[in-house]
Amino acid sequence: MKIAKGLIAAILLSTTAVPAWADYPDRPITLYLAWGAGGGTDAVARVIAVGLEKELGQPVNVVNRTGGSGVVGHSAIADAEPDGYTLGLATTEVNLMHWLGLTDLDYKVYTPLALMNQDPAGVQVAADSEYQTLGELLEAIKTSPPATFRATGSGQGSSWHVAIAGLLNAEGIDASLVTWVPSDGAASGLQELLAGGTEIVPSSLVEARALIEAGRVKSLAYMSSERSQLFPDVPTLKEETGSDWEFGAWRGMVAPQGLPDDIRDRLIAALDTVFKSEDYHKFMGAQGFGATFLPGEEFGNFMATNDVNFGETMKAIGLAQ
């Protein structure tokens, strides 16, 4: 009897010792993002999805949930079951939307998995624009009637909106002089630029790459302390105007709050492998995306600091509610 009880206890112990992710995943995973197909976030999401499929052995289906300046997609991630079968590629807007009063969502409603990418903003205009330098463009904005210039590339109060508004503020120019036209992302914003519906798209150079290389769009400045390796001829903002303003968008993998620790650790390990893979760096390098990795808690701390900094900037330019 004692032997039988001992065997039963051993079996139960061995069973309870099996980690929660021993059979995870056993079905397809959904990866939400808040921006439209064809933009930078979509491209990064899809290369991550391919890598995760190899690591996890299950399909990872990318779903674009656009609308509400990023609220729709980010809400879909936060509202999902924290079981590891719904993930999201969160963007800078997580730390912008709540300052605008658009939502109560912030970085705290997610389980941080890994920062995967950061990209500084550029100032893009149509190739046939009369403005050859950023200085010329800024002077025209200062001396023209309000609403003469329009900018687009993301939702109201989202990353690229803050990029151009913060730039204008740093230059002592009233940010309201440039009207922001909301869009589903840089891809649609750049098409609007080509159609003549707007004059400025403050997106990353990566997102504008194809049109720059095709000679249809030109970039006047880069909001970073160093020139872009992708387009080294584009001057930094510091070089153009002497401004210290810098701005970049980030993208990171998250899950709904409450994700079991075992599944979280499984996903962080998988994302680490994806990030270190030759395929990931080859793709990111070819596209000009900035590859940056911060796992789990480090990514969470990054978002917390980023949230505070964005709040201070948005208050300064009058966008915070």
Side-chain angles (χ1 to χ4, degrees):
M1 182 65 71
K2 290 182 178 179
I3 294 175
K5 288 182 178 179
L7 287 172
I8 292 172
I11 292 171
L12 290 174
L13 180 61
S14 65
T15 301
T16 56
V18 175
W21 55 263
D23 296 322
Y24 170 83
D26 61 6
R27 62 180 187 272
I29 293 170
T30 297
L31 172 54
Y32 283 130
L33 61 147
W35 308 105
T41 302
D42 184 70
V44 173
R46 292 179 188 280
V47 73
I48 292 173
V50 170
L52 282 178
E53 287 182 354
K54 293 180 181 178
E55 289 304 305
L56 300 177
Q58 289 289 342
V60 178
N61 303 311
V62 176
V63 178
N64 304 83
R65 295 290 299 272
T66 63
S69 297
V71 173
V72 173
H74 285 101
S75 295
I77 303 165
D79 293 341
E81 287 295 320
D83 56 9
Y85 290 97
T86 301
L87 307 177
L89 185 62
T91 62
T92 316
E93 283 69 27
V94 165
N95 288 336
L96 296 174
M97 298 181 298
H98 68 99
W99 289 110
L100 291 166
L102 298 177
T103 178
D104 291 331
L105 288 175
D106 63 15
Y107 69 94
K108 298 174 186 175
V109 303
Y110 303 103
T111 298
L113 299 175
L115 177 68
M116 302 293 288
N117 158 247
Q118 279 186 288
D119 289 306
V123 181
Q124 279 67 247
V125 297
D128 59 0
S129 169
E130 62 183 286
Y131 308 108
Q132 301 302 313
T133 68
L134 180 64
E136 293 177 1
L137 176 62
L138 294 177
E139 184 61 28
I141 291 172
K142 285 193 294 185
T143 57
S144 299
T148 299
F149 289 87
R150 294 154 296 179
T152 190
S154 55
Q156 181 74 20
S158 55
S159 56
W160 300 140
H161 185 189
V162 174
I164 191 66
L167 164 60
L168 295 172
N169 181 69
E171 293 296 320
I173 302 172
D174 183 354
S176 67
L177 290 176
V178 175
T179 300
W180 185 258
V181 181
S183 70
D184 284 337
S188 59
L190 287 162
Q191 290 305 312
E192 186 69 13
L193 177 69
L194 295 178
T198 186
E199 290 75 37
I200 306 166
V201 174
S203 68
S204 68
L205 296 184
V206 178
E207 292 170 310
R209 178 179 185 174
L211 293 174
I212 293 175
E213 292 178 341
R216 304 183 68 189
V217 167
K218 59 187 176 185
S219 186
L220 302 181
Y222 192 53
M223 298 184 197
S224 175
S225 59
E226 298 180 358
R227 290 197 180 199
S228 165
Q229 293 183 359
L230 183 63
F231 291 105
D233 292 336
V234 178
T236 66
L237 186 58
K238 181 77 171 181
E239 292 171 328
E240 278 291 284
T241 69
S243 173
D244 291 322
W245 172 255
E246 295 181 21
F247 190 92
W250 56 260
R251 302 176 178 97
M253 290 293 295
V254 299
Q257 188 180 52
L259 187 71
D261 290 349
D262 287 342
I263 294 179
R264 178 200 64 197
D265 293 345
R266 173 85 165 98
L267 287 167
I268 291 174
L271 288 166
D272 181 57
T273 301
V274 171
F275 181 83
K276 292 176 179 176
S277 70
E278 181 179 351
D279 288 345
Y280 186 77
H281 279 275
K282 184 177 180 180
F283 174 84
M284 299 295 276
Q287 299 299 318
F289 287 115
T292 304
F293 186 81
L294 290 175
E297 186 177 351
E298 292 181 51
F299 179 33
N301 292 336
F302 168 87
M303 286 194 288
T305 300
N306 191 250
D307 183 76
V308 172
N309 292 339
F310 278 11
E312 292 175 353
T313 298
M314 295 179 75
K315 289 174 184 177
I317 60 181
L319 286 176
Q321 299 297 312

